[in-house]
Amino acid sequence: MRWMALAGLALALLVAAGGETEAQTSCAGWNATCQARCRDAGNPECANYCTRQVTACRRTGCWTEGQRFGGRQHCNLSR
């Protein structure tokens, strides 16, 4: 029983560490993630970056994360 609790805790930590980006399925979801990352970074110019990204995402259905976050591209998002 104890190992099940530890396994559950490990899974929760993995989801908390990396699950935020994988769960996004829409341009609006990625915009919210981008805005939150901007608040965490404290960079006022970052909000303009997010606006450009969400505009492009609504046109193409793809969001490309910044290099700081791996530069991954996520496509087939709901616009």
Side-chain angles (χ1 to χ4, degrees):
M1 190 71 143
R2 187 174 189 191
W3 67 270
M4 288 178 68
L6 290 174
L9 178 62
L11 180 61
L13 290 173
L14 284 173
V15 169
E20 134 194 327
T21 58
E22 298 305 319
Q24 301 302 336
T25 60
S26 69
C27 294
W30 275 106
N31 187 42
T33 298
C34 186
Q35 296 294 338
R37 288 174 174 174
C38 285
R39 282 190 300 277
D40 291 345
N43 182 351
E45 309 237 346
C46 189
N48 292 330
Y49 168 79
C50 295
T51 301
R52 289 191 308 272
Q53 284 288 91
V54 77
T55 300
C57 184
R58 287 183 178 143
R59 190 174 55 253
T60 65
C62 294
W63 184 282
T64 303
E65 291 185 78
Q67 287 303 107
R68 182 175 177 196
F69 297 98
R72 290 177 298 234
Q73 188 173 43
H74 307 273
C75 290
N76 299 317
L77 302 173
S78 61
R79 300 171 192 195

